[in-house]
Amino acid sequence: SEHATARKEIVNYLVDNALIDQYLNALKVEVTQPEVDKLLAELHAELKKQNKDYAKELEGMLLTEAEFKAEAVAQMKWDKFLKQQGTDAVLKGYF
């Protein structure tokens, strides 16, 4: 079915992210609970503004809330990593 295919693609995507996440954990890229809470609060506020329902949006993405949170944390870690790399590269450029 279409649903099963979409779910399989999402699971593959999450597995790829899990591998990236392990790499970032090894590099000690951390995301704190307050950072996650802030991101989710912003998301809830944004959805409310658009008259959208959080639970329905998750359903539409075929994700549970736990999967979505894990996804958000992984994305935040990646963003942090990129910022650190950018800063390191810029600093190295000066020397």
Side-chain angles (χ1 to χ4, degrees):
S1 77
E2 204 173 293
H3 188 88
T5 304
R7 178 103 187 132
K8 187 178 171 211
E9 284 173 15
I10 290 168
V11 169
N12 287 340
Y13 175 73
L14 293 173
V15 168
D16 289 344
N17 277 2
L19 296 174
I20 292 169
D21 203 43
Q22 285 172 4
Y23 173 69
L24 296 179
N25 283 340
L27 293 177
K28 303 277 184 266
V29 178
E30 298 292 323
V31 171
T32 64
Q33 191 57 50
E35 288 175 305
V36 176
D37 293 342
K38 181 175 179 272
L39 179 83
L40 291 174
E42 287 169 1
L43 176 70
H44 279 275
E46 189 55 42
L47 288 173
K48 198 172 241 173
K49 254 192 260 174
Q50 298 173 20
N51 290 320
K52 289 183 178 172
D53 180 61
Y54 179 69
K56 280 200 176 79
E57 291 300 309
L58 286 179
E59 220 172 85
M61 292 187 285
L62 308 176
L63 291 174
T64 65
E65 187 171 30
E67 286 169 332
F68 179 74
K69 278 185 179 168
E71 187 59 36
V73 168
Q75 187 61 53
M76 290 170 80
K77 281 185 186 175
W78 182 245
D79 291 344
K80 247 187 196 183
F81 170 71
L82 290 178
K83 278 186 189 135
Q84 286 172 359
Q85 292 306 302
T87 308
D88 289 349
V90 168
L91 286 175
K92 281 178 187 150
Y94 285 122
F95 295 106

